[in-house]
């Protein structure tokens, strides 16, 4: 099969006046090391600051030279950011990018801001074997003269003050870098039409209110119904005044930024279906009427004005006392006080965020919930439940609880009809958490999301949740073991153990006859499970950045439904048997990029259904 390199160069662009260059920032990075983590975080953080970024989303195919487009992009950029990772120097492409950046840096045509991701400056300066070994390999292939120039570029860049990732999270560092870049570029953070009419008067009024030359902080509120130009006026003000400050940020939709862009369609479907509704037909009708959209990551989205209309309709349910409405929001209708006032017997959805309310007590007791027995959806942030809850929450279908206590203070907490349980992002919960015992009553559970529970070393026993369809363990960094009881989950469709410390999946996993999606991205997995071919419905395996993976069993031939197989940056040496096995599948996408241990690339012409083959960096 002939492979053709398609255009994979991507930019994120936002207009901010005439800059004279095509790009603000050029990112140079080693894809398998940082593409799916730090680089992705930095890229999107820069875009959020309205910074025009050049990034190569795909990479270069085996045997291809660096594209002239790359050099042109560097020439047309103001700032170059090389992200030095462990294997950066093993890529001749990365080194060529760096060499070109440093040539322009020496002539003051480009500013260079290096990031030392998981290496030290001394490594980059060739004072250790980390990068020195890589240059030795390049010397054999490209000659001493070229390698000498590359080495000089590495030495020069270490003389520039940069950042390292020690003692900082990726998000925090990305924000710091984006802020620094924004200040250097004096970027406007908004995109404004050139044909606005009637803005001058309103703009001048806001300028007078802000009184930028005065000391102190000014907070201006712009109030009015949707669609009259409040956001546009705010954009104009940001454009006009941003140059007076070292940094600026424009958030066009605070509600979405603070609460997320929507709920997962599958989660909502689980809840509505369990409540006796018809979600598939209902969502289809809403889509046809353009009342909702399904956006990235399969999330439901609704326009703010439609949300406001829905809230207005709910308010009409009880005009005299809206707190008795079927739904209550924390920022309207006395939402934070609904439990304390015991007026919500008809309420079915409540959202609590302790940071948004003024109550000093962070504990909600069983007495507080006695007169709100019909809650189906409950979202808690930084709240503790305490007391004997008896048969409360009998109608609860969806519980999202972040910031819960290390010790479960509630007793007889029995949400028997729960179908979605999200306990994500906690540094408190572990396999010994007392809450597990009480939650065993949730035998109808469809979704268990424990993502980013950093103290979890082993999953709790899952035998109580035999109806489970989605198990999300992504980001549980200390997780080393899945309970053998996972093999009892005959309805499980999705298993995500990305970015965990799991080395090997239990053998019982082959009993997951309904599993369609297996995600092991960035995990410590050394081998895929033996007899994986018994998982006949498995359609997708994602293993991006599985640097410890050594074995792909030939039994994979038993996956007749397999359509996507992505296993990148692995230690797999021989894929001849693998490809012979995969011929029998209906595989559409095969991605084995950056598997540098591969000794031979096989013939793929027998793959009748294959649409995309990626072997970059092999």
């Amino acid at each position: 099969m002939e492979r053709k390199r398609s255009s994979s160069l991507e930019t994120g662009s936002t207009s901010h006046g005439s800059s004279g260059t095509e790009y603000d920032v050029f990112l140079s990075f080693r894809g398998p090391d940082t593409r799916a983590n730090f680089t992705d975080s930095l890229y999107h953080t820069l875009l959020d600051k309205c910074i025009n970024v050049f990034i190569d989303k795909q990479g270069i195919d085996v045997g291809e030279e660096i594209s002239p487009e790359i050099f042109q992009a560097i020439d047309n950029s103001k700032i170059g950011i090389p992200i030095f990772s462990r294997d950066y120097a093993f890529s001749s492409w990365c080194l060529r990018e760096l060499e070109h950046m440093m040539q322009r840096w020496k002539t003051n045509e480009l500013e260079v801001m290096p990031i030392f991701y998981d290496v030290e400056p001394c490594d980059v300066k060739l004072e250790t074997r980390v990068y020195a070994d890589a240059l030795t390999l390049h010397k054999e292939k490209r000659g001493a003269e070229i390698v000498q120039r590359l080495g000089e570029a590495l030495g020069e860049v270490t003389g520039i003050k940069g950042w390292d990732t020690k003692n900082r999270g990726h998000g925090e560092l990305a924000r710091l870098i984006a802020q620094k870049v924004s200040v250097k570029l004096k970027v406007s953070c908004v995109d404004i039409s050139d044909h606005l009419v009637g803005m001058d008067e309103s703009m001048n009024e806001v300028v007078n209110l802000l009184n930028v030359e005065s000391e102190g902080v000014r907070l201006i509120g712009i109030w009015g119904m949707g669609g009259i130009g409040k956001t546009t006026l705010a954009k104009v003000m940001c454009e006009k005044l941003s140059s007076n400050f070292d940094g600026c940020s424009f958030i066009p939709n605070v509600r979405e930024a603070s609460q997320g862009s929507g709920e997962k369609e599958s989660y909502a479907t689980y809840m509505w279906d369990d409540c006796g509704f018809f979600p598939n037909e209902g969502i289809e009708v809403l889509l046809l009427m353009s009342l909702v959209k399904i956006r990235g990551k399969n999330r439901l989205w609704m326009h703010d004005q439609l949300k406001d209309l829905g809230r207005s309709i709910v308010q009409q349910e009880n005009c005299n006392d809206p707190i008795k409405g079927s739904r209550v929001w924390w920022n309207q209708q006395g939402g934070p006080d609904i439990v304390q006032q015991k007026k919500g017997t008809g309420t079915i959805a409540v959202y609590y965020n302790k940071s948004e309310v003024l109550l000093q007590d962070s504990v909600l007791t069983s007495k507080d919930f006695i007169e709100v027995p019909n809650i189906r959806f409950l979202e808690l942030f930084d709240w503790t439940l305490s007391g004997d809850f008896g048969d409360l929450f009998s109608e609860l279908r969806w519980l999202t609880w972040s910031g819960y206590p290390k010790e479960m203070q509630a007793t007889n907490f029995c949400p028997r009809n729960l179908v979605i349980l999200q306990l994500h992002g906690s540094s408190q919960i572990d396999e010994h958490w007392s809450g597990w015992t009480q939650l065993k009553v949730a035998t109808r559970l469809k979704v268990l999301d424990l993502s980013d529970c950093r103290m979890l070393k082993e999953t709790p026993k899952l035998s109580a949740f035999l109806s489970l369809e989605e198990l999300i363990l992504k980001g549980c960094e200390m997780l080393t073991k899945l309970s053998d009881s996972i093999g009892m989950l005959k309805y499980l469709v999705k298993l995500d153990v990305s970015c965990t410390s799991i080395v090997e999946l239990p053998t019982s996993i082959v009993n997951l006859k309904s599993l369609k999606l297996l995600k092991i991205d960035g995990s410590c997995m050394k081998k895929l499970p033996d007899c994986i071919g018994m998982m006949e419905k498995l359609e997708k395996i994602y293993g991006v950045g599985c640097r410890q993976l050594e074995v792909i069993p030939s039994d994979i031939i038993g996956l007749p439904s397999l359509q996507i197989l992505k296993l990148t940056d692995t230690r797999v040496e021989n894929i001849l048997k693998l490809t012979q096995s995969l011929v029998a599948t209906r595989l559409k996408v095969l991605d084995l990029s950056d598997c540098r241990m591969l000794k031979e690339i096989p013939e793929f012409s027998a793959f009748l259904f294959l649409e995309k083959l990626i072997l970059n960096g092999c």
Side-chain angles (χ1 to χ4, degrees):
M1 177 179 293
E2 182 180 357
R3 290 182 291 128
K4 182 179 180 181
R5 184 168 183 256
S6 60
S7 179
S8 60
L9 307 176
E10 179 170 317
T11 64
S13 61
T14 303
S15 174
H16 50 79
S18 61
S19 61
T21 62
E22 189 175 352
Y23 308 109
D24 293 322
V25 172
F26 180 96
L27 293 180
S28 174
F29 61 97
R30 177 65 168 152
D33 291 353
T34 65
R35 186 192 303 279
N37 42 67
F38 176 72
T39 297
D40 185 68
S41 177
L42 177 59
Y43 171 65
H44 286 95
T45 305
L46 289 169
L47 291 188
D48 288 343
K49 289 259 183 199
C50 307
I51 294 168
N52 194 356
V53 186
F54 181 96
I55 185 172
D56 187 352
K57 281 288 189 179
Q58 184 62 41
I60 193 168
D61 282 345
V62 178
E64 289 191 9
E65 287 296 323
I66 187 169
S67 167
E69 293 174 286
I70 299 295
F71 291 133
Q72 188 63 48
I74 295 173
D75 291 344
N76 290 349
S77 298
K78 292 181 177 180
I79 297 175
I81 300 182
I83 304 172
F84 294 112
S85 56
R86 197 91 181 154
D87 289 343
Y88 182 94
F90 281 94
S91 168
S92 59
W93 191 6
C94 290
L95 293 178
R96 293 285 302 281
E97 290 175 353
L98 177 67
E99 179 190 16
H100 196 71
M101 283 191 286
M102 296 310 296
Q103 288 174 353
R104 293 186 61 78
W105 173 76
K106 285 186 285 188
T107 57
N108 295 319
E109 295 174 285
L110 180 75
E111 184 160 357
V112 176
M113 301 167 64
I115 300 171
F116 301 95
Y117 176 69
D118 55 3
V119 294
E120 301 287 343
C122 61
D123 299 321
V124 179
K125 203 174 182 180
L126 306 180
E127 294 176 353
T128 70
R129 294 184 59 181
V130 177
Y131 276 23
D133 287 350
L135 260 66
T136 300
L137 293 176
H138 293 312
K139 187 175 182 180
E140 297 173 359
K141 296 181 180 180
R142 298 187 173 272
E145 183 178 347
I146 292 178
V147 170
Q148 182 179 353
R149 295 204 311 265
L150 299 178
E152 289 174 355
L154 288 168
E156 290 167 349
V157 77
T158 58
I160 302 173
K161 186 177 180 180
W163 287 275
D164 63 58
T165 56
K166 290 181 180 178
N167 304 317
R168 279 199 184 104
H170 289 176
E172 178 189 2
L173 181 58
R175 286 193 295 273
L176 287 173
I177 295 171
Q179 179 68 25
K180 186 72 171 179
V181 170
S182 182
V183 171
K184 287 182 176 294
L185 295 173
K186 292 291 184 183
V187 172
S188 165
C189 45
V190 293
D191 184 12
I192 303 174
S193 170
D194 295 328
H195 307 288
L196 293 177
V197 177
M199 275 288 162
D200 292 343
E201 184 177 350
S202 297
M203 184 177 65
N204 291 333
E205 288 184 20
V206 176
V207 168
N208 292 333
L209 289 171
L210 285 170
N211 192 10
V212 175
E213 301 300 327
S214 66
E215 296 182 358
V217 177
R218 289 291 176 97
L219 179 64
I220 304 296
I222 304 175
W223 180 86
M225 65 178 291
I228 64 172
K230 301 187 301 296
T231 301
T232 302
L233 176 58
K235 285 183 177 181
V236 172
M237 296 309 305
C238 187
E239 167 74 12
K240 180 178 179 65
L241 300 175
S242 59
S243 61
N244 294 318
F245 300 90
D246 289 338
C248 65
S249 177
F250 184 83
I251 305 174
N253 192 322
V254 175
R255 184 182 302 170
E256 279 197 11
S258 61
Q259 297 182 12
S261 60
E263 302 295 352
K264 286 193 66 174
E265 181 194 6
S266 61
Y267 288 12
T269 300
Y270 286 134
M271 182 177 73
W272 291 331
D273 185 63
D274 197 74
C275 291
F277 303 137
F278 301 94
N280 293 327
E281 294 85 349
I283 291 175
E284 184 176 352
V285 171
L286 292 173
L287 288 170
L288 289 173
M289 297 175 67
S290 297
L291 295 175
V292 298
K293 293 181 180 180
I294 297 179
R295 290 192 163 181
K297 298 185 178 180
N298 205 30
R299 292 187 179 275
L300 283 175
W301 176 87
M302 178 182 285
H303 194 279
D304 281 349
Q305 287 179 289
L306 286 172
K307 293 179 185 178
D308 292 339
L309 174 62
R311 289 176 175 137
S312 177
I313 292 173
V314 169
Q315 286 179 325
Q316 301 305 313
E317 294 173 352
N318 197 319
C319 298
N320 295 326
D321 194 351
I323 296 176
K324 291 183 179 179
S326 60
R327 290 157 181 82
V328 177
W329 293 267
W330 62 266
N331 60 339
Q332 293 183 6
Q333 308 166 351
D337 302 319
I338 181 173
V339 173
Q340 281 72 18
Q341 295 180 25
K342 298 182 175 60
K343 295 181 180 180
T345 54
T347 301
I348 61 174
V350 177
Y351 167 86
Y352 277 93
N353 186 333
K354 183 174 182 293
S355 64
E356 305 288 355
V357 299
L358 302 177
L359 301 178
Q360 295 181 352
D361 192 357
S362 61
V363 177
L364 295 173
T365 69
S366 55
K367 294 180 180 179
D368 294 324
F369 284 93
I370 288 176
E371 296 191 31
V372 283
N374 296 317
I375 292 178
R376 293 176 185 165
F377 176 90
L378 178 61
E379 190 166 2
L380 302 172
F381 289 85
D382 295 324
W383 286 87
T384 298
L385 296 180
S386 179
D388 188 342
F389 280 77
D391 291 327
L392 293 176
F393 299 129
S394 60
E395 296 297 319
L396 189 63
R397 299 307 203 280
W398 187 337
L399 173 61
T400 296
W401 193 2
S402 299
Y404 41 84
K406 186 173 184 180
E407 297 296 331
M408 184 71 162
Q409 298 179 27
T411 58
N412 294 318
F413 181 68
C414 304
R416 301 180 186 277
N417 290 313
L418 203 63
V419 291
I420 302 163
L421 177 60
Q422 294 176 288
L423 299 173
H424 46 62
S426 173
S427 59
Q428 302 284 347
I429 196 172
D430 61 19
E431 59 274 21
H432 304 298
W433 185 54
S434 57
W436 294 126
T437 302
Q438 299 186 62
L439 287 169
K440 286 181 179 179
V441 301
T443 56
R444 300 169 64 181
L445 200 65
K446 301 284 189 181
V447 177
L448 178 57
D449 184 353
L450 302 175
S451 55
D452 298 309
C453 290
R454 295 183 293 275
M455 299 304 294
L456 194 67
K457 297 179 181 178
E458 180 179 353
T459 59
K461 290 185 178 180
L462 302 167
S463 54
F465 311 127
L466 298 183
S467 298
L468 205 62
E469 296 187 19
E470 297 189 27
L471 178 58
I472 315 298
L473 300 164
K474 179 180 179 180
C476 296
E477 300 171 352
M478 298 183 67
L479 185 68
T480 59
K481 184 179 180 181
L482 292 182
S483 170
D484 288 334
S485 60
I486 193 173
M488 303 173 67
L489 306 180
K490 62 180 180 179
Y491 299 111
L492 195 69
V493 175
K494 175 181 178 180
L495 175 62
D496 190 346
V497 293
S498 302
C499 302
T500 66
S501 296
I502 294 176
V503 175
E504 187 174 353
L505 295 171
T507 56
S508 63
I509 199 172
V510 299
N511 296 321
L512 302 181
K513 302 300 184 182
S514 299
L515 194 69
K516 293 184 178 181
L517 173 60
L518 175 63
K519 300 192 70 173
I520 60 173
D521 298 337
S523 69
C524 298
M525 204 82 66
K526 290 188 175 181
K527 59 180 291 189
L528 291 178
D530 295 328
C531 301
I532 191 175
M534 296 174 64
M535 304 162 73
E536 297 178 354
K537 293 188 178 180
L538 192 58
E539 297 177 356
K540 302 174 185 179
I541 302 176
Y542 290 99
V544 176
C546 288
R547 305 181 70 172
Q548 306 299 320
L549 190 67
E550 299 175 348
V551 179
I552 305 174
S554 59
D555 186 64
I556 204 169
I557 190 175
L559 298 178
S561 302
L562 189 64
Q563 297 180 28
I564 298 176
L565 179 63
K566 291 190 175 186
L567 298 172
T568 70
D569 200 18
T570 70
R571 295 184 178 182
V572 176
E573 296 184 7
N574 189 343
I575 63 169
L576 291 176
K577 292 182 179 179
L578 169 64
T579 52
Q580 292 168 5
S581 300
L582 290 172
V583 167
T585 70
R586 303 180 68 86
L587 197 66
K588 294 182 179 180
V589 177
L590 177 61
D591 185 353
L592 298 172
S593 56
D594 296 299
C595 294
R596 294 187 297 275
M597 304 293 288
L598 288 180
K599 297 179 180 178
E600 186 175 355
I601 304 297
E603 175 61 47
F604 289 95
S605 59
F607 285 73
L608 301 180
F609 300 96
L610 197 62
E611 298 175 0
K612 190 173 184 180
L613 173 64
I614 306 173
L615 297 171
N616 299 337
C618 292

